[in-house]
Amino acid sequence: MILPGHRPTRLYLLDLGDFNVGPGKRLIGIPGFVIQTETSNGTPGANILVDTGFDAGYASDYAALDARDGLSGFGRLENYTARQTLTGQLALLGLKPAEITHLILTHGHIDHVGGLPLFTHCPIILTQIERAEPRPVYWSNARPLAWPETEYIQITGETVLCPGLILIPTPGHTPGHLSLLLTLPTGTVILAADAINRASEPAENYADAMDPATAATSAKRLFDLQHLHNATLIYGHDPAQWRDMPKAPAPYGFD
């Protein structure tokens, strides 16, 4: 157990921009998450960040970042402002990147690792398989980011971060993909990330995954957990679900 004596009390959904996946396709939201814990004596505990969105440089010099990454070969970030950068979203919660105590990385794609350079001060938690990549897998042939010089907690199987927060390897989308099972005072939530991108993905046979067959197996595990725990499953990039969910600074699950 990585955080004994802690329990998760709050979940915040970070709006890290909108991505147009291309003509005739869809506009998807880019999520991040902050999980706050409380210690056994009732004092504030950890500020846990899940994923970091795109490189904030896209908000200030889109052309330069696009030239570096070749992102226009896939789609385009829309309405990406300073408010939607990771720093801007954390500020809505009264937090600075330096106040994040742990970073959980679901996988190394471009829309999840852009803020990694901000986190040399805290442990980064990810699967051993994902960390074995020489650099984050990022996008296409572009690998501009190095792994930050910091502590890494590399998991190889289901791992209890603290009571109420379980990390579940869900390979398929990438070989080292990771999802979360989170029990809050208001109910249980599964953060599927890109293990299940959207509600329609099972019918599409996980065509976006590096290994569709393995992705289907991982998704079945998450759907089984959803049924077992009567959980809300938050997809990685489902347009309709994301549109209607409360975003920071409002906490998820509290009226």
Side-chain angles (χ1 to χ4, degrees):
M1 191 177 300
I2 298 167
L3 285 172
H6 288 242
R7 63 184 183 90
T9 54
R10 291 283 175 116
L11 171 67
Y12 296 91
L13 280 53
L14 307 182
D15 176 4
L16 298 175
D18 297 303
F19 190 73
N20 191 322
V21 189
K25 294 187 178 179
R26 60 194 181 275
L27 188 69
I28 62 173
I30 305 300
F33 305 91
V34 169
I35 301 165
Q36 293 184 324
T37 71
E38 195 174 85
T39 66
S40 54
N41 62 10
T43 60
N47 292 315
I48 303 166
L49 176 65
V50 182
D51 290 340
T52 70
F54 279 93
D55 189 316
Y58 278 100
S60 56
D61 192 346
Y62 195 100
L65 270 291
D66 188 31
R68 182 193 73 181
D69 297 340
L71 186 61
S72 58
F74 181 40
R76 182 174 179 84
L77 266 170
E78 296 189 359
N79 306 315
Y80 188 59
T81 65
R83 178 185 171 93
Q84 288 181 302
T85 65
L86 178 61
T87 299
Q89 286 291 294
L90 291 176
L92 297 179
L93 303 178
L95 293 173
K96 298 177 181 178
E99 294 174 286
I100 295 299
T101 60
H102 301 76
L103 170 59
I104 297 172
L105 188 66
T106 63
H107 65 296
H109 278 158
I110 183 172
D111 53 327
H112 297 260
V113 299
L116 274 183
L118 299 173
F119 298 98
T120 58
H121 65 280
C122 69
I124 298 176
I125 305 167
L126 74 175
T127 64
Q128 186 180 79
I129 292 171
E130 203 76 13
R131 183 60 182 84
E133 293 288 336
R135 286 175 169 246
V137 292
Y138 210 67
W139 151 246
S140 188
N141 293 322
R143 293 200 176 195
L145 295 183
W147 293 108
E149 292 291 333
T150 191
E151 176 188 357
Y152 287 87
I153 299 174
Q154 302 179 46
I155 71 168
T156 57
E158 187 172 299
T159 300
V160 178
L161 187 69
C162 65
L165 178 48
I166 301 174
L167 309 179
I168 303 169
T170 44
H173 183 77
T174 66
H177 193 279
L178 184 66
S179 302
L180 291 79
L181 177 65
L182 176 64
T183 303
L184 295 163
T186 54
T188 301
V189 178
I190 294 171
L191 303 181
D194 290 7
I196 314 174
N197 259 312
R198 54 195 175 274
S200 62
E201 196 174 23
E204 297 160 4
N205 296 314
Y206 302 92
D208 294 341
M210 293 176 67
D211 183 340
T214 300
T217 300
S218 293
K220 182 182 184 303
R221 185 179 184 192
L222 294 181
F223 285 130
D224 288 346
L225 287 169
Q226 179 188 24
H227 178 74
L228 178 65
H229 295 281
N230 191 29
T232 298
L233 191 150
I234 299 179
Y235 300 104
H237 302 286
D238 187 277
Q241 183 190 52
W242 185 244
R243 180 186 62 237
D244 296 333
M245 301 192 91
K247 315 297 192 306
Y252 175 83
F254 290 82
D255 295 329

